[in-house]
Amino acid sequence: MKFQIEDVTVYFPYDHIYPEQYCYMIELKRTLDAKGHCLLEMPTGTGKTIALLSLITSYCLSKPQSPMKLIYCTRTVHEMEKTLAELKILHNYQIKHLGPQARILAIGLSSRKNLCVNPTVVAAENRDSVDAGCRKLTASWVRALASENPDVAMCEFFENYEKAASAAVLPPGVYTLQELRAFGKEKGWCPYFLARHMVQFANVVVYSYQYLLDPKVAGIISKEMQKESVVVFDEAHNIDNVCIEALSVSVRRQTLEGATWNLSRISQEIDRFKATDASILRAEYNRLVEGLALRGNLPITDNWLSNPALPDDILKEAVPGNIRRAEHFLHVLRRLVQYLSGRLDTENVEKESPVGFVASLSSHAGIDQKTLKFCYDRLHSLMLTLEITDTDEFLHIQTICDFATLVGTYGRGFSIIIEPFDERMPHIPDPVLQLSCHDASLAIKPVFDRFQSVLITSGTLSPIDLYPRLLNFHPVVSRSFTMSLTRDCICPMVLTRGSDQLPVSTKFDMRSDPGVVRNYGKLLLEMVSVVPDGIVCFFVSYSYMDGIINTWNDSGILKLVFIETQDVVETTLALDNYRRACDSGRGAVFFSVARGKVAEGIDFDRHYGRLVIMIGVPFQYTLSKILLARLEYLRDTFQIKEGDFLTFDALRQAAQCVGRVIRSKADYGMMIFADKRYSRHDKRSKLPSWILSHLQDANLNLSTDMALHIAREFLKKMAQPYDKTGSSDKKTLLSQEELEKLGDGSMHEMSY
């Protein structure tokens, strides 16, 4: 269908549109017109992705003179592929209506592991090994050597790509990762470097959050993106955690041992160069006097990770004299490793600010703040000079330099926490020194400052007013949409007690009570007898899930269940078998964990998930020293109370878990919040409005037998035929004619 939103003709590739999709597009257009940022919460299963893509690409088509580009950030490769598949349908529709002028170039960009087509390189077991395998064949010095010695191995795909030079381009179209690989194989070009090159010319780029939020990666991949770009962070309910992880570093004993080995290896390489070609080291020294920025543009194959600290002006300064010479720099790193090793030899938990840590480091090891700031870039420069290709072997020393640069750059928003053991396993010594970032706004600030519009959207952003405070920005639009339904296909319930009227909760003082464990088991057994298809059960943690499953197993409650573990392969296998069991018509039960891989990225649509049980409230481990330090920082800096943040975080995880059950309006499912704490208004009110609008007062304080009765009635009701387009007074599916009849005003009314 084709319709107008003010001055923009929107091309939407389906015959009908949901009212909330239309309202969502109106708010998006307001944001783009205002050249500002926005927060939009849209229920799951209401076509958020296609609404975003339709509006933004149509907006670009309506302003052909503007160089606007769409940067679409997803959390997983699976989501990236789904987004590109939707965009392909939309692109074909636009070409059908507009002809060749609607042609765009859209690509997905991922790591070498997902794009490489060289069989010897891609066979490596992990991403770092694939990256190193690629460098061994494509680094500029390897290729220079190969031109003199034909026995030196090179990558034929990269060589063909280089030979093609300016002819190596992608024709207009939408390319998924699989299609990029197929195109690369057909042409004999390297798809990874081709995609990297084409990013600057593409109209739409789909890639991972890290490519924008992690400064080490963003400095290389995203530096050429123009200011007029529109950035979308999809499924962004955990965006604050992604920002914090991008600027946090952990150092363990293994890290220090590995770093010591790395330094010995670098020292040998320096001696080798001194003996064979000392002029290379001299040239590097002279360059460092001028500053790191004068290194010039490196060949794309030599580009390593960028500086983890954000300021660019650091690169224009001259490198401190005490680390210009390679041997002196190694000596500084050895002292740093030795100092960190001494700090790990502690029996007590220690917490320190970066300023205090740097002062202590300066007095004990003689390393000042400016030297620390340059460590990462100095290491990068040295590894290029020494022509080291197996970078995966040097991850430990990279971690140490990453830590040094961050601690030397930031005085606020960080803590250094040293723990001699994990509190949950105090008998196992496992010392760890963590540089923990508490301020999510540090990583995302350059994105807000640099790009015209940043859209943060998800199905679970409630309470939406907390995100601007956590990320320290001012959205021009902040809206939460409800779901327009012809029938009540969502049935949320709060279960507070078992059939024996004993309260159920995973509160620490109640969770191991035999009565609570028994009642949770009875709830599951009773629901299995009523729900004909898949049931997904989420627990608050792996340890609680293991404990409760063992108890149920001993008492003979369990039959056939599938369980998520911390092993990706095992979990994938369990999911496949769970789906097979559901397809066979017998139904099945899948046990999973809040904050796990399944809770974040797997959909249990249709018969794969007719009921989700959330056992307990998934609070973070509240004795964690890192969490306590972050709570203190949020309280002092943003005036966010500890209880408010913990409840907000737990409830967004719970909403994310139960949201897996409903993936379209034709779908239906029940959600049971099995913990007495959900009956409290201060907890419940933090759930998204599209769940709360279906949570009736009668379902707020249920026992197992009452929940069972409601489940039976709900499933009977869902078995009845219904009109998918809705009644005349409340349409839930609009055709083009109906959309034109409805004015903007009435549409706006419908969405509230």
Side-chain angles (χ1 to χ4, degrees), residues 595-613:
R595 302 174 199 275
K597 287 273 186 291
V598 171
E600 284 297 321
I602 306 296
D603 297 340
F604 293 97
D605 53 339
R606 309 190 318 281
H607 61 292
Y608 298 126
R610 289 299 182 210
L611 166 66
V612 172
I613 303 174

Side-chain angles (χ1 to χ4, degrees), residues 280-290 321 323-326 328 378:
I280 291 180
L281 290 168
R282 260 200 310 280
E284 185 199 33
Y285 178 89
N286 295 332
R287 196 171 63 241
L288 294 174
V289 174
E290 302 296 328
I323 57 170
R324 278 183 211 151
R325 288 186 66 137
H328 294 172
R378 181 66 188 92

Side-chain angles (χ1 to χ4, degrees), residues 134 230 392 419:
C134 176
V230 176
D392 58 329
E419 294 182 274

Side-chain angles (χ1 to χ4, degrees), residues 364-384:
H364 288 89
I367 304 171
D368 64 359
Q369 185 183 355
K370 189 170 183 187
T371 305
L372 287 171
K373 209 189 284 190
F374 278 93
C375 277
Y376 200 86
D377 280 306
R378 181 66 188 92
L379 179 71
H380 183 189
S381 171
L382 182 59
M383 289 181 74
L384 285 176

Side-chain angles (χ1 to χ4, degrees), residues 222-358:
S222 306
K223 64 178 179 194
E224 276 131 18
M225 300 296 190
Q226 52 265 49
K227 180 176 171 40
E228 292 78 16
S229 303
V230 176
V231 176
V232 174
F233 288 108
D234 195 9
E235 296 297 337
H237 47 276
N238 280 339
I239 192 164
D240 54 317
N241 293 337
V242 177
C243 292
I244 276 167
E245 282 161 21
L247 291 177
S248 296
V249 184
S250 290
V251 176
R252 295 178 183 273
R253 281 251 174 271
Q254 302 92 298
T255 318
L256 296 173
E257 285 161 11
T260 307
W261 180 86
N262 292 159
L263 291 172
S264 305
R265 166 94 190 273
I266 292 173
S267 181
Q268 288 166 14
E269 291 293 317
I270 291 171
D271 292 341
R272 185 171 68 81
F273 266 78
K274 273 185 178 167
T276 55
D277 196 351
S279 62
I280 291 180
L281 290 168
R282 260 200 310 280
E284 185 199 33
Y285 178 89
N286 295 332
R287 196 171 63 241
L288 294 174
V289 174
E290 302 296 328
L292 288 160
L294 295 185
R295 192 166 52 200
N297 287 331
L298 294 168
I300 193 167
T301 50
D302 295 357
N303 241 332
W304 199 29
L305 295 175
S306 191
N307 191 308
L310 306 166
D312 280 339
D313 51 345
I314 185 176
L315 299 179
K316 298 185 178 67
E317 296 177 44
V319 174
N322 61 340
I323 57 170
R324 278 183 211 151
R325 288 186 66 137
E327 310 91 302
H328 294 172
F329 177 54
L330 283 200
H331 191 50
V332 166
L333 288 184
R334 282 203 182 95
R335 293 206 308 272
L336 176 60
V337 168
Q338 200 176 354
Y339 175 79
L340 293 176
S341 190
R343 290 300 300 264
L344 280 181
D345 282 333
T346 179
E347 291 179 8
N348 305 311
V349 175
E350 295 175 19
K351 181 185 164 208
E352 208 170 353
S353 72
V355 175
F357 183 86
V358 170

Side-chain angles (χ1 to χ4, degrees), residues 714-734:
F714 174 76
L715 289 169
K716 257 188 235 166
K717 201 164 95 184
M718 289 301 105
Q720 308 308 313
Y722 73 103
D723 177 10
K724 288 184 182 177
T725 59
S727 56
S728 56
D729 60 326
K730 187 162 187 197
K731 282 281 183 188
T732 61
L733 209 54
L734 301 168

Side-chain angles (χ1 to χ4, degrees), residues 291-579:
L292 288 160
L294 295 185
R295 192 166 52 200
N297 287 331
L298 294 168
I300 193 167
T301 50
D302 295 357
N303 241 332
W304 199 29
L305 295 175
S306 191
N307 191 308
L310 306 166
D312 280 339
D313 51 345
I314 185 176
L315 299 179
K316 298 185 178 67
E317 296 177 44
V319 174
N322 61 340
I323 57 170
R324 278 183 211 151
R325 288 186 66 137
E327 310 91 302
H328 294 172
F329 177 54
L330 283 200
H331 191 50
V332 166
L333 288 184
R334 282 203 182 95
R335 293 206 308 272
L336 176 60
V337 168
Q338 200 176 354
Y339 175 79
L340 293 176
S341 190
R343 290 300 300 264
L344 280 181
D345 282 333
T346 179
E347 291 179 8
N348 305 311
V349 175
E350 295 175 19
K351 181 185 164 208
E352 208 170 353
S353 72
V355 175
F357 183 86
V358 170
S360 164
L361 180 61
S362 181
S363 64
H364 288 89
I367 304 171
D368 64 359
Q369 185 183 355
K370 189 170 183 187
T371 305
L372 287 171
K373 209 189 284 190
F374 278 93
C375 277
Y376 200 86
D377 280 306
R378 181 66 188 92
L379 179 71
H380 183 189
S381 171
L382 182 59
M383 289 181 74
L384 285 176
T385 304
L386 298 177
E387 300 181 353
I388 289 172
T389 50
D390 51 348
T391 45
D392 58 329
E393 301 285 334
F394 290 84
L395 294 175
H396 296 299
I397 196 64
Q398 289 172 43
T399 303
I400 299 294
C401 290
D402 189 2
F403 170 85
T405 298
L406 286 167
V407 87
T409 306
Y410 293 105
R412 289 187 71 253
F414 285 79
S415 290
I416 284 135
I417 296 167
I418 305 168
E419 294 182 274
F421 47 77
D422 187 328
E423 282 191 1
R424 286 167 282 195
M425 291 179 284
H427 51 284
I428 302 172
D430 180 23
V432 58
L433 183 148
Q434 295 167 92
L435 174 68
S436 176
C437 176
H438 308 314
D439 192 344
S441 66
L442 291 174
I444 203 168
K445 184 179 184 296
V447 181
F448 285 136
D449 290 349
R450 185 170 153 209
F451 295 110
Q452 186 169 294
S453 292
V454 178
L455 320 174
I456 294 175
T457 185
S458 176
T460 47
L461 284 178
S462 296
I464 205 162
D465 58 334
L466 206 53
Y467 282 90
R469 290 159 73 192
L470 281 173
L471 302 175
N472 198 17
F473 77 112
H474 302 289
V476 291
V477 173
S478 182
R479 271 287 305 274
S480 184
F481 298 90
T482 55
M483 198 190 266
S484 60
L485 295 168
T486 49
R487 55 175 186 167
D488 289 329
C489 62
I490 308 171
C491 179
M493 299 177 248
V494 175
L495 183 122
T496 58
R497 56 198 193 281
S499 304
D500 54 5
Q501 305 306 310
L502 278 175
V504 292
S505 177
T506 57
K507 276 176 80 172
F508 198 72
D509 53 349
M510 288 177 69
R511 60 170 54 180
S512 47
D513 184 309
V516 171
V517 175
R518 186 182 65 247
N519 274 325
Y520 278 139
K522 286 272 176 60
L523 165 69
L524 193 59
L525 269 184
E526 298 282 6
M527 284 298 166
V528 165
S529 66
V530 171
V531 179
D533 292 309
I535 295 178
V536 188
C537 191
F538 286 97
F539 295 86
V540 290
S541 68
Y542 282 108
S543 55
Y544 185 61
M545 179 172 76
D546 292 346
I548 206 168
I549 287 174
N550 286 335
T551 312
W552 287 346
N553 199 33
D554 295 343
S555 56
I557 284 179
L558 290 184
K559 296 288 184 272
L560 177 63
V561 292
F562 301 93
I563 302 172
E564 176 188 10
T565 66
Q566 283 163 308
D567 183 280
V568 177
V569 179
E570 275 182 10
T571 302
T572 308
L573 201 59
L575 268 169
D576 286 347
N577 287 326
Y578 166 78
R579 289 208 163 98

